[in-house]
Amino acid sequence: RSMNTVHSVWAVNPYGLTDCVYSKYSYSQSQMCRFLGLFSFPQSNMTTPALLPLSGRRIPTLSPGAASFPHHRATLRLSEKFILLLILSAFITLCFGAFFFLPDNSKHKRFDLGLEDVLIPHIEAPKGAKHPGGQVVIHGQGGHDEHRHREEEESLRDKIRVDHERALQEAKEKLRKSRDELRAEIQTEKSKVVEDLKKKKEVPKPLPPVPMPKVVGVNDGDPVEPDVKEKRDKIREMMKHAWDSYRQYGWGHNELKPLAKKGHSTNIFGNSQMGATIVDALDSLYMMGLHDEFKDGQEWIEQNLDFSVNAEVSVFEVNIRFTGGLLAAYYLSGQEVFKVKAVQLAEKLLPAFNTPTGIPWAMVNLKSGVGRNWGWASAGSSILAEFGTLHMEFVHLTYLTGNPAYYQKVMHIRKLLAKMDRPNGLYPNYLNPRTGRWGQHHTSVGGLGDSFYEYLLKAWLMSDKTDTEARKTYDDAIEAIERHLIRKSNGGLTFIGEWKNGHLERKMGHLTCFAGGMFALGADGSPDDKAGHYLQLGAEIAHTCHESYDRTVLKLGPEAFKFDSGLEAVAVRQNEKYYILRPEVIETYWYMWRFTHDPKYRQWGWEAAQAIDKYCRVSGGFSGVKDVYSSNPTYDDVQQSFFLAETLKYLYLLFSSDDLMPLESWVFNTEAHPLPVLHLTDFSEGICIFQTESD
Ligand code: DMJ
């Protein structure tokens, strides 16, 4: 210390106590130390070298007190006493202050070294003595101290020796092990750490309370007309047959093989057994008033649905079926479990967005979070209809969790697409998530493209028409589609073809038939007063798709049909003649019915329902058929989960009155799972503000 008055050298004794060993001040060091009154060492000790315990460094011998007194005075002046008193009190304050401001653990460490014995009285019950009532004996003063310190020093050394020996022993054992054993050991430790980390991460975060949007018309819809009611009851009975069969033969599996009467799954769900049919069917069961079945499904979900499985699933399929299904079940029933599961799943899907561009991979492993794309998709591209069909569910996830990440991910996709050049104003089906460039220039309103357009329109509707950016993007896209892809056949049928590198293929898929409903749904709000035009376009597509059903033997539509060389609305290739219980045509009938109330849509829907019941029904459920042009069809032996989620739901809605799921309050996702309208404002990057009309 370079204070004007005191220049001293202090060393640390074995107990961490500061020894006064030298002072340039005019008093003798020993006198000074005595004066400070801190130490229990006899005065004679102060002249012996102080031993630093660790380094063993010697401190120079001190000169005797008298020799260092320049004036040989025996007493101190009052002012000197006063200064000394001041120094003393400052020193004591410093010592105590330092001690009390030390963090707790550092205090404890010091105590472990034995410092507590010196600085504060040691409290210890004497061996063998009992002190009832928590009575304690205080010691630390008197002549036993020195002896005890020595003992403690020795025991400390012993402890250090034992520790060293143990460490040495462990090191020797490690060296004796083979490389493989060591590697295995390291691996086990690593996995343990990873597991522990995961467990920590998996502690479910409580979800913030958010108002339940107003849910209307979830179980009304009884039609007045008895014949319509009869048809509706028939659809309900078909639903029960599909569900009961799955319940009996495929319970817990993703889908059902209705002929083999066992569980079934496809690669979109990886090797998981996540009860896709249960989740997909829940809201249909609820709307149809099949409450026991709904409860049964809920119980299975509560007890079995686990998304931490080592399965590589399709992000799109799992999102529309599981996230959408769970969210809809939550909004309809108010049961928290569905919300919790939807959020658990969403967290598992987020790693799919870890690509250089933020365009998600098509597939993600739910356990590892590793993503990749389908091998067949244009040089490792992601698919428009897949990464473009996440918006509705992800907006709801942000609403329910308060986590903006979901919203930001889908808005990022939208922004990225908005910046890209579009050949002829069209969106190609393929986009490379690494380079951010389009793959092959193929455009479709059917498979690979379809629900991208659907979700632009529905983003606008679901935001209570505040997301005008989505509406504008939809309008521009549809305008280009109309210009390049929609044509009238020689026989007067309007169809939507496929655009392949500047060439129009005059082929329409069953999947494309959903577009009739989309055009009708988007008619209101379309630019330049084209509402009538789009409703008309919807009607024309509905008509064409009905023709594709009507021109078959089974009265069920083929997977794809042509408008070429005199053939219209019929499949040509054998591998396009199948019907796999798809919903798109019936979906369009329902939207057209809601907007026009033209009875032909109910009539067409009934024709399809009867054909399904006649040709697809088997004792173990419903199956797809391989050839709709054959009077003796063979089955594909799959009861698709979307048959319960969509086909039967749209049929049921078609024969219900409009107060069941009114379209002003609900928007159906692409798997027919209804989500309530959320009034959304402020679309700045990463922000969305919800204003809901809650119950
Ligand atoms: C459903 O899973 C969805 O409708 C999806 O958008 C496309 N295809 C199937 C049903 O055909």
Side-chain angles (χ1 to χ4, degrees), residues 316-317 320-321 450-451 511 582-584 642 646 670-671:
F316 157 77
E317 294 288 359
I320 64 168
R321 299 184 199 214
D450 48 9
S451 41
L511 290 165
R582 285 199 191 279
E584 291 76 18
F642 55 66
E646 299 190 74
T670 194
E671 187 78 1

Side-chain angles (χ1 to χ4, degrees), residues 268 280 316-317 320-321 385 389 446-447 450-452 454-455 510-511 514 559 580-584 587 640-643 645-647 650 669-672:
I268 57 173
D280 233 5
F316 157 77
E317 294 288 359
I320 64 168
R321 299 184 199 214
T389 310
D450 48 9
S451 41
F452 162 70
E454 178 186 354
Y455 268 37
H510 191 289
L511 290 165
F514 92 97
E559 181 65 5
I580 55 166
L581 306 170
R582 285 199 191 279
E584 291 76 18
E587 175 182 350
Q640 307 275 351
S641 78
F642 55 66
F643 178 64
E646 299 190 74
T647 314
Y650 287 130
N669 87 342
T670 194
E671 187 78 1

Side-chain angles (χ1 to χ4, degrees), residues 83-139:
I83 288 168
L84 267 177
L85 201 64
L86 263 182
I87 293 166
L88 175 66
S89 51
F91 180 75
I92 291 170
T93 315
L94 199 72
C95 288
F96 276 90
F99 174 75
F100 283 109
F101 281 104
L102 277 176
D104 278 357
N105 58 353
S106 92
K107 277 182 210 168
H108 292 151
K109 268 186 214 146
R110 279 167 181 270
F111 291 169
D112 290 346
L113 290 170
L115 185 63
E116 78 278 26
D117 288 348
V118 186
L119 281 181
I120 57 167
H122 187 81
I123 299 169
E124 178 188 271
K127 275 176 199 148
K130 286 197 175 168
H131 298 283
Q135 197 188 336
V136 291
V137 176
I138 300 176
H139 74 101

